[in-house]
Structures are given as C-alpha cells and as structure tokens.
C-alpha cells in the first residue's frame, strides 16, 4: 500500500478544519459559546459543525491557501525561513496533489474536472502563470487565480439540503414538533456518487432498498430512538450524534465512520469501520480490515455480523466484499489513551442473539454469510435447544383446552411485559405499515 506524499501532507493539514480556537475565548467570548447551535439542516444558516458546512470548508481553504501551496513547494523554492518568494515556482506534481481538495468546471458546464486538468487549459495559462519551458506555475499568479475562482462546493452537504430532492421516507411524529429531514442530491450532482442526508429521525422505523441508495454516500445525523434499515449496496456511511438507535446497513464499499454517538447498534458488512467519541455502542460487523478505534471512545462492544436479507450476498458482490478475511474481533487502537485497552470488549456469547430483518425481498441469501464463530453459534444453538425442550414440555403436559387458553394468556402477558421493559414494543409497533393514503415519496 502507498500514498502520494504531497496528497498525504494536504490530508494531514486539512485536519485542522475542526480545530477549536482558544484565542477567541481569551478576548471576551465565552467558550464553548452559548450561541453554538446544533447544525441547521435547512441550508439557510451556518452551523458550528464544520464537517457539515461547505462554507466553512471554503473559508478554511481560502484562509490557508498560501500555507498549503508553500507546503507543496520543492525545498529550493523556499527561503531559509521556509516561505515562498515572488519568483517561487509550483510544480505540476504539486497542482496534481491539490486536485485532492479542489476540482471545477469551465464556463459553468456540468462536467467536473480535477484542478490539474483545468490548470493546463491554454486560456488559463496567463492567469495562473504556467510556463511550458519550466513545466511549473508562478506561485503568486497561481495563488491569485485559485482565490479568484474558488467557490463553495455546489454538490456538498449544505447544497444537498438546500436544493436537493427532499425525500418523504420518514413519517411526521405525533406529539412532537420535530421533523425528519431527508434529502438527496442525485438531480443536481454530475455523474459521481450521489449523497443522501438523513437528520432528526425520531422514534421511527425507516426501511429502504432503493436505487437512490445504490452507491451513495450516506450521512446520518442526530437520529434518536429509531431503527433504520438501508438495504442497498452503499459507497460510504457517516453516523454522527445519534442516540439509542439501531442501524442495519447494506454492504458498504468504503468506510463506515461513527462519531459522537451514544448507545447505538450498527449491523454492517463494510470495507472499514472507524469510531470516534462514542459511548456504549455495539458493532456487529464483517470486515476485511481491522476496525479503527480513534480517540474519545468508551465501552465499545464488537460482535460478529449476525443477520441476513435475501439480496445481501448479491449486494456484497457488487461492492467487492467477501466473507474472508474477517477482522471483526481485531480492532486497532489508533489513539491509545494512557495505553488503556479496556475501551473495547468482544461481546460475550451469553449476550449474543441473531438479528432478524423483518422485511420480505427477492433474493437467494437465506443465512448469515460466512456463518458464526463457533462459540457464538454454540450459544445460539443452546438457546434454540431450550426452546425446543420448552415446546416439548408444554405439548406433553396434557393440558385441557381451558388450561391451554389460560396458559397462553399468561405467556402473552409476560411477553408483553418484557417488550415494554426492554423497549422492544416500540420496535414492533413501528413495523406496522402506515395507513393507505399517507404521503410517501418514491425513490
């Protein structure tokens, strides 16, 4: 495996976009600011969540463009104090690296080109200072050209929420003013991976297998006490600031990143899983790479992938994922806080239950791909055996018709009590389909 050095430098540099400035707190503003709001996902106002805000991305690049260009200069183009001069030249390789962050169009066409292709376009040479002799760009001219052309990403998250197609996948919840916001930018984005944003789904079950989801980047934000099933092959998934929810995802070609979540369950086959700032979360996964545990996590549990739906193996083939190798039980602590490996545990077999996806679909998958590890399969089999013994005992008890009826009522009452105590009643109730005539958007 390898990475382009200049691109990797830029990747490290842009991590500063989320760095908190303590200076503002020293000059009179409270920190954290009481005016800090959760992200406004109407696309109208800015938010403090810079991951979601394209204006912040643009402002960061504008404010740090000179530093980034200097970072990419050859050593002989820098002064003794590592700064550029008026005669510094930026190599073509450096501009190729900048394509990692910047791309664009000519005359507002819908065709998107990487930056280095646009920079070599003949009409731009006078503005960006490209020399065919040196095959390099004038530093001041290139910087000036980039600043004059730089604009906010028209296909990013802010634009998706503002001008994307609103999807009425979730229902309005009675007794609350909250409104789930779900949007997709398929109509406005060029031929690249589409984006689907879901926010503030509250106390609902939302299930979709849809062309809109195929190959999409999924952003799930501030969902609470919900069950979300997205049963299509996906490109990437980010789950942020969600609580007390269960996410069942189709196979994810790239990465699943879970950030600032409490008590969520994620059930997924994915290429990579990354966790940061989570508490009490459980991950049932099948993955060919070690899960990455970044900073700020507490009480993370890992378990083997334990479910299936009819199209699962077809969807895994579409995104190039197989059942082996599987490193669900070998997480990597990237940020070892005081060397503490108790951040995570492997779920004890006694707490392990298989998960049933309660929807009918066409397809051939009838069991969990790759099966279960022996100790977990043994725990499941023992439980199934207990159920069979129980059923046999009831059958052989020789109860009269009235006794059977009374016994059935007792069992149902106990089951109902268990549903209420564990919170599973909401999960079952929310599976009841909405009334005919309620608004549901296609897609």
């Amino acid at each position: 495996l390898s990475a382009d050095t200049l691109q990797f430098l830029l990747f490290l540099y842009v991590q500063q976009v989320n760095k908190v400035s303590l200076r503002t707190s020293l000059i009179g503003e409270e920190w954290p600011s009481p005016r800090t709001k959760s992200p406004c996902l109407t696309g109208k106002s800015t938010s403090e969540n810079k991951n979601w805000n394209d204006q912040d991305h643009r402002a960061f690049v504008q404010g740090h463009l000179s530093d980034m260009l200097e970072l990419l200069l050859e050593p002989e183009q820098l002064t003794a104090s590592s700064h550029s001069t008026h005669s510094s030249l930026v190599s073509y390789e450096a501009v190729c690296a900048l394509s990692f962050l910047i791309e664009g169009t000519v005359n507002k066409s819908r065709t998107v080109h990487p930056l280095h292709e646009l920079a070599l376009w003949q009409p731009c040479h006078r503005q960006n200072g490209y020399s065919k002799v040196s095959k390099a760009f004038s530093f001041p001219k290139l910087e000036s050209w980039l600043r004059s052309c730089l604009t906010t990403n028209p296909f990013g998250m802010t634009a998706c929420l503002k001008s994307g197609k609103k999807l009425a996948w979730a229902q309005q919840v009675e007794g609350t003013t909250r409104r789930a916001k779900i949007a997709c930018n398929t109509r406005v984005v060029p031929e690249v991976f589409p984006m689907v944003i879901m926010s503030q789904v509250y106390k609902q079950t939302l299930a979709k297998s849809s062309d809109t989801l195929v190959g999409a980047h999924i952003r799930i934000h501030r969902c609470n006490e919900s069950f979300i099933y997205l049963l299509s092959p996906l490109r990437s998934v980010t789950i942020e600031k969600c609580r007390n929810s269960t996410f069942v995802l189709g196979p994810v070609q790239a990465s699943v990143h879970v950030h600032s979540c409490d008590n969520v369950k994620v059930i997924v086959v994915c290429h990579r899983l990354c966790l940061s700032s989570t508490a009490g979360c459980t991950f049932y996964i099948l993955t060919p790479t070690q899960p990455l545990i970044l900073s700020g996590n507490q009480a993370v549990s890992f378990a083997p992938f334990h479910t299936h739906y009819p199209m699962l193996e077809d969807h895994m083939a579409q995104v190039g994922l197989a059942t082996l190798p599987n490193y669900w039980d070998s997480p990597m602590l990237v940020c070892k806080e005081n060397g503490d490996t108790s951040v995570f545990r492997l779920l004890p077999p006694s707490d392990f239950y298989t998960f049933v996806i309660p929807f009918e679909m066409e397809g051939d998958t009838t069991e969990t791909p790759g099966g279960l590890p022996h100790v977990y399969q043994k725990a499941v089999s023992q439980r199934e055996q207990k159920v069979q013994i129980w059923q046999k005992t009831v059958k052989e008890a020789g109860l009269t018709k009235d006794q059977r009826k009374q016994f059935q009522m007792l069992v149902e009452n106990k089951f109902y009590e268990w549903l209420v105590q564990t919170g599973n009643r909401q999960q079952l109730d929310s599976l009841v389909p909405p009334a005919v005539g309620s608004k549901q958007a296609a897609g």
Side-chain angles (χ1 to χ4, degrees):
L1 296 174
S2 64
D4 181 274
T5 309
L6 297 179
Q7 283 190 20
F8 188 57
L9 276 173
L10 286 174
F11 170 76
L12 294 175
Y13 190 88
V14 298
Q15 303 311 306
Q16 297 179 85
V17 73
N18 286 312
K19 196 162 68 174
V20 174
S21 171
L22 297 180
R23 183 186 293 178
T24 50
S25 67
L26 296 174
I27 58 175
E29 283 197 22
E30 291 179 58
W31 180 83
S33 168
R35 292 185 295 280
T36 298
K37 296 179 180 178
S38 61
C40 175
L41 298 181
T42 58
K44 293 176 183 175
S45 63
T46 60
S47 75
E48 292 299 314
N49 187 332
K50 294 179 183 177
N51 283 337
W52 286 70
N53 196 312
D54 300 310
Q55 281 88 357
D56 274 328
H57 299 171
R58 177 191 176 185
F60 178 85
V61 174
Q62 286 272 24
H64 297 80
L65 185 58
S66 183
D67 290 341
M68 285 193 281
L69 287 171
E70 286 182 348
L71 196 64
L72 302 176
L73 286 180
E74 298 293 333
E76 62 269 18
Q77 300 295 329
L78 294 165
T79 63
S81 58
S82 297
H83 288 296
S84 64
T85 66
H86 194 72
S87 59
S88 293
L89 296 176
V90 182
S91 68
Y92 173 67
E93 289 73 24
V95 177
C96 286
L98 270 174
S99 296
F100 171 65
L101 295 178
I102 303 172
E103 56 189 11
T105 62
V106 178
N107 298 329
K108 296 184 179 179
S109 77
R110 282 179 59 84
T111 306
V112 176
H113 301 278
L115 175 64
H116 62 274
E117 288 184 10
L118 294 172
L120 288 183
W121 192 44
Q122 182 72 37
C124 294
H125 289 180
R126 192 164 55 85
Q127 295 161 277
N128 61 34
Y130 179 70
S131 165
K132 290 183 179 178
V133 178
S134 64
K135 292 187 177 177
F137 299 82
S138 160
F139 185 100
K141 283 192 172 183
L142 179 66
E143 184 184 358
S144 174
W145 177 65
L146 288 172
R147 285 190 189 283
S148 65
C149 296
L150 205 59
T151 184
T152 305
N153 181 3
F155 312 122
M157 285 181 267
T158 307
C160 177
L161 288 159
K162 191 174 182 180
S163 55
K165 180 184 178 185
K166 302 295 185 287
L167 301 173
W169 288 356
Q171 301 296 311
Q172 179 69 57
V173 181
E174 290 182 21
T176 177
T177 56
R178 295 192 190 196
R179 176 67 175 169
K181 299 177 180 69
I182 303 175
C184 177
N185 64 2
T186 310
R187 292 191 302 179
V188 293
V189 80
E191 293 301 312
V192 294
F193 298 111
M195 181 187 297
V196 176
I197 295 178
M198 306 170 61
S199 182
Q200 299 179 68
V201 177
Y202 178 66
K203 285 193 173 182
Q204 295 183 62
T205 291
L206 191 157
K208 272 290 172 182
S209 181
S210 160
D211 287 342
T212 303
L213 292 171
V214 174
H217 295 287
I218 310 295
R219 301 287 182 265
I220 303 174
H221 179 260
R222 288 196 185 280
C223 293
N224 193 7
E225 297 181 49
S226 292
F227 299 86
I228 293 178
Y229 301 79
L230 302 178
L231 306 181
S232 295
L234 311 170
R235 173 65 180 168
S236 73
V237 179
T238 300
I239 302 172
E240 195 169 347
K241 296 186 178 178
C242 295
R243 297 174 60 227
N244 307 321
S245 296
T246 297
F247 302 96
V248 186
L249 306 172
V252 180
Q253 185 175 10
S255 62
V256 176
H257 191 160
V258 182
H259 176 68
S260 293
C261 291
D262 293 342
N263 191 33
V264 303
K265 289 181 183 176
V266 179
I267 302 168
V268 66
V269 179
C270 62
H271 182 72
R272 163 127 15 237
L273 174 70
C274 303
L275 320 177
S276 56
S277 304
T278 67
C281 298
T282 305
F283 301 90
Y284 299 85
I285 54 171
L286 193 168
T287 176
T289 59
Q290 290 179 273
L292 299 181
I293 302 178
L294 308 180
S295 62
N297 297 284
Q298 298 173 21
V300 177
S301 298
F302 292 100
F305 186 74
H306 64 333
T307 191
H308 64 272
Y309 61 91
M311 287 295 290
L312 177 57
E313 286 171 312
D314 288 342
H315 289 168
M316 286 172 65
Q318 283 183 46
V319 299
L321 290 171
T323 56
L324 292 172
N326 184 7
Y327 292 108
W328 71 270
D329 55 351
S330 305
M332 182 186 295
L333 277 165
V334 179
C335 297
K336 292 189 179 180
E337 289 143 355
N338 304 319
D340 185 8
T341 56
S342 63
V343 170
F344 73 91
R345 65 165 188 165
L346 301 185
L347 191 73
S350 58
D351 296 338
F352 180 83
Y353 296 83
T354 53
F355 187 89
V356 177
I357 295 176
F359 306 105
E360 292 183 355
M361 298 170 67
E362 299 281 325
D364 301 322
T365 303
T366 56
E367 59 186 20
T368 301
L372 296 172
H374 176 69
V375 290
Y376 291 94
Q377 183 59 59
K378 186 179 176 183
V380 171
S381 299
Q382 285 174 345
R383 267 193 224 105
E384 289 173 349
Q385 199 173 1
K386 285 181 182 177
V387 171
Q388 288 168 1
I389 292 169
W390 164 257
Q391 288 173 336
K392 186 181 177 185
T393 304
V394 172
K395 192 174 182 182
E396 294 174 352
L399 300 176
T400 64
K401 189 174 181 181
D402 286 343
Q403 286 173 325
R404 278 203 307 271
K405 193 172 182 181
Q406 189 177 1
F407 182 66
Q408 185 178 349
M409 283 178 64
L410 282 170
V411 172
E412 285 179 357
N413 287 338
K414 278 290 181 187
F415 179 57
Y416 185 78
E417 284 176 23
W418 177 82
L419 284 176
V420 173
Q421 287 168 3
T422 58
N424 285 315
R425 184 190 167 193
Q426 179 212 334
Q427 185 178 3
L428 285 180
D429 289 349
S430 62
L431 288 171
V432 178
V436 179
S438 69
K439 285 182 69 178
Q440 280 282 317

